[in-house]
Amino acid sequence: GQNIDQPTEMTATEGAIVQINCTYQTSGFNGLFWYQQHAGEAPTFLSYNVLDGLEEKGRFSSFLSRSKGYSYLLLKELQMKDSASYLCAVVDSNYQLIWGAGTKLIIKP
Amino acid sequence: GAVVSQHPSWVICKSGTSVKIECRSLDFQATTMFWYRQFPKQSLMLMATSNEGSKATYEQGVEKDKFLINHASLTLSTLTVTSAHPEDSSFYICSAPQGDYEQYFGPGTRLTVT
């Protein structure tokens, strides 16, 4: 079966750095997305990785290792508005999006 | 970036009635749109793929006669929940791909069936 694992919940302090991990086992791989979702809202796109390595975009960076079936989202200089769920999603061999359950990130002052 | 809208934002209906949800791509054309359902504290579940000019493709376990999808134009897809029941209460979200990999999501429609 296809499976994506993320921690259910994480807590971090404003101004700090947090890393959210995602591991996957899917039938094929055609890329991995990270989305941010605030409560009651639709997800918003953060990043897309298809090649190994680190992609940096402002305060957010995303890393991918295809051989390990592993990705992480790194958030720097955390702000209170970063409190949200972070969803990892993998595109499988049929170009279907397989979603993780999301990681709820709680930022404390 | 591209914008996808949904209407209505939220709707309350009585059990047994039907509800139509619209998904529009506002500044780009989408031959394909995706419909998702999200129950509280759960991940997005793909319900169906809406294809302009042809029938929608439904995921396993999704009743196509209950969740009617019509992709009327390159900018509009509709999802009709027929004979809604309380267990259909959920957050329904559409998305449309643009370019090679970007997915743009609508703001979602919260359906409550009483």
Side-chain angles (χ1 to χ4, degrees):
Chain A
Q2 310 209 85
N3 192 51
I4 296 184
D5 289 316
Q6 305 179 233
T8 303
E9 186 174 297
M10 298 181 71
T11 302
T13 304
E14 189 176 16
I17 299 172
V18 71
Q19 177 174 312
I20 302 174
N21 296 324
C22 170
T23 58
Y24 62 89
Q25 300 93 38
T26 57
S27 56
F29 178 85
N30 283 297
L32 184 146
F33 290 91
W34 282 98
Y35 285 89
Q36 180 191 61
Q37 187 178 27
H38 286 100
E41 299 180 12
T44 55
F45 171 82
L46 291 179
S47 67
Y48 173 74
N49 294 69
V50 67
L51 299 176
D52 290 350
L54 184 68
E55 299 256 352
E56 297 186 73
K57 190 184 293 185
R59 294 190 298 117
F60 294 0
S61 302
S62 57
F63 171 83
L64 174 68
S65 169
R66 288 172 296 171
S67 62
K68 295 181 179 179
Y70 167 69
S71 173
Y72 67 72
L73 180 69
L74 190 71
L75 292 77
K76 303 176 183 176
E77 301 171 15
L78 286 170
Q79 302 174 8
M80 297 303 292
K81 66 179 182 179
D82 296 331
S83 291
S85 286
Y86 291 84
L87 304 170
C88 172
V90 172
V91 185
D92 70 6
S93 56
N94 294 317
Y95 290 90
Q96 296 283 333
L97 271 173
I98 311 300
W99 292 87
T103 298
K104 182 179 180 181
L105 178 63
I106 300 169
I107 309 297
K108 295 185 175 179
Chain B
V3 177
V4 174
S5 71
Q6 280 185 241
H7 177 80
S9 300
W10 57 272
V11 57
I12 301 173
C13 70
K14 292 186 176 180
S15 187
T17 61
S18 296
V19 174
K20 180 186 284 188
I21 303 170
E22 294 184 349
C23 177
R24 293 181 185 273
S25 56
L26 297 185
D27 53 1
F28 67 103
Q29 294 182 333
T31 56
T32 300
M33 291 183 176
F34 300 97
W35 286 97
Y36 296 87
R37 182 166 51 183
Q38 187 176 37
F39 292 107
K41 298 184 180 180
Q42 294 186 26
S43 182
L44 291 168
M45 297 292 294
L46 178 65
M47 298 175 66
T49 302
S50 172
N51 305 297
E52 190 270 337
S54 64
K55 292 182 179 180
T57 304
Y58 290 81
E59 295 301 301
Q60 191 172 8
V62 178
E63 300 173 58
K64 59 182 179 182
D65 294 331
K66 179 171 180 62
F67 298 98
L68 302 178
I69 290 174
N70 181 25
H71 201 133
S73 73
L74 288 172
T75 59
L76 173 65
S77 175
T78 60
L79 168 68
T80 301
V81 183
T82 63
S83 187
H85 288 95
E87 57 266 30
D88 298 324
S89 298
S90 186
F91 192 43
Y92 291 87
I93 304 172
C94 70
S95 74
Q98 188 191 41
D100 291 335
Y101 59 83
E102 293 252 10
Q103 285 273 357
Y104 292 95
F105 286 86
T109 297
R110 188 165 298 283
L111 171 63
T112 301
V113 184
T114 61

